[in-house]
Amino acid sequence: MQKNQSLVLFCLILCTFVLAGCGANIDRTVTFYADERWQADMEVTFPIEAIALFGSLEQFDSEITSEVAKWEGQGAKVSWKSLQEETILIYTFDIEGTGWDLLNEIVFENRAAIDADEENTDQIHFSYFASSDVLSANQNMLTLNGGQIISSNGNPVKSGQVQWVNPSGRVEAVLTAKRGFSFVTILIIGLVLVAIVAGFWFYWQKSNQQKTPASPVSSAPAFCPNCGTQLPPQGKFCPTCGNKL
């Protein structure tokens, strides 16, 4: 293995992609939203001995930190972490941004064409041909998420999702943006929740009223107002004088 002297940092940690010949695996998932908003999740794994091509692990992380700072300066939100499992290094990245050009630079090495359809702006045309570093990976997986996959040369995974595993040629797809919750949707959900809470409160109040014990009937003895004889319970006439009670 020889170090690539023309190595350039692209696609967040593309400095690791050149290690593909040393056993790197690359997994990228990109979700397209309206108004050119996007989110990318990336994971790269490779043998820890490959770090020797770049010096030390600290130098390698420093290169990544420097590149991440550049993208954050362009408006991207980036969080990343590294994990070592025995002899394997795992780098994971969560990136959010706005603008297809920024997405192309960070995730697709500036080798993708991402455009909205001139006649139907809801449709996004995506075309990408990976660099030789990426193509030489042990496993190169790319997943695109959208509202609807209209056409593609990848493998459909589920509604709104298409995937390529070790693509050897051009990756192409036409898809719509994934929609978030609109204000109307949020309002409807809020009203439904309020109705549910109100229903539970009404049921709870009604249950408590049913459980309230009735006032006990007085058990004190009664006497005839005419002759003063003690009356039997629930009697209608006095047993002594016959007075109607």
Side-chain angles (χ1 to χ4, degrees):
M1 298 181 295
Q2 295 182 346
K3 184 175 178 179
N4 186 342
Q5 300 299 325
S6 61
L7 183 63
V8 178
L9 284 176
F10 43 59
C11 192
L12 188 56
I13 54 168
L14 196 55
C15 53
T16 62
F17 290 177
V18 76
L19 301 176
C22 303
N25 294 329
I26 307 163
D27 186 355
R28 293 172 287 180
T29 299
V30 178
T31 303
F32 294 86
Y33 294 101
D35 302 320
E36 296 195 17
R37 293 180 296 109
W38 52 268
Q39 178 178 352
D41 298 313
M42 302 172 57
E43 180 178 286
V44 177
T45 64
F46 55 89
I48 192 170
E49 62 265 20
I51 285 294
L53 296 174
F54 297 91
S56 66
L57 183 59
E58 290 74 16
Q59 290 174 326
F60 185 71
D61 285 350
S62 178
E63 291 283 352
I64 295 176
T65 301
S66 176
E67 191 69 10
V68 166
K70 294 178 184 177
W71 294 323
E72 289 178 333
Q74 294 175 273
K77 296 180 180 179
V78 185
S79 62
W80 67 281
K81 63 181 179 179
S82 61
L83 175 67
Q84 181 176 344
E85 293 184 355
E86 298 181 350
T87 60
I88 299 296
L89 278 175
I90 304 172
Y91 281 78
T92 58
F93 299 80
D94 183 11
I95 317 163
E96 296 180 12
T98 301
W100 302 143
D101 291 340
L102 184 60
L103 171 63
N104 193 11
E105 176 185 345
I106 296 177
V107 182
F108 297 113
E109 314 116 73
N110 281 322
R111 299 175 65 92
I114 312 172
D115 300 293
D117 191 294
E118 294 182 357
E119 297 181 357
N120 187 348
T121 56
D122 288 337
Q123 293 186 8
I124 302 168
H125 291 255
F126 176 84
S127 178
Y128 167 64
F129 193 88
S131 66
S132 58
D133 290 327
V134 176
L135 291 175
S136 60
N138 280 358
Q139 177 171 289
N140 170 30
M141 182 180 297
L142 173 61
T143 305
L144 300 184
N145 294 318
Q148 179 184 2
I149 307 299
I150 299 172
S151 64
S152 79
N153 59 354
N155 300 313
V157 178
K158 59 183 181 180
S159 177
Q161 186 177 84
V162 62
Q163 187 176 82
W164 294 262
V165 179
N166 297 327
S168 57
R170 184 168 295 278
V171 169
E172 295 181 318
V174 178
L175 66 161
T176 61
K178 188 173 183 178
R179 301 289 180 180
F181 288 117
S182 66
F183 174 77
V184 175
T185 303
I186 295 175
L187 180 61
I188 292 174
I189 293 175
L191 291 175
V192 170
L193 291 176
V194 169
I196 292 174
V197 172
F200 274 112
W201 181 84
F202 177 78
Y203 175 79
W204 178 78
Q205 288 287 95
K206 189 175 182 181
S207 298
N208 282 347
Q209 290 175 357
Q210 292 176 348
K211 292 178 182 178
T212 302
S215 300
V217 178
S218 175
S219 59
F223 297 88
C224 175
N226 183 46
C227 65
T229 303
Q230 183 173 342
L231 300 173
Q234 299 179 347
K236 295 182 178 181
F237 295 90
C238 175
T240 300
C241 67
N243 183 49
K244 185 176 181 181
L245 303 176

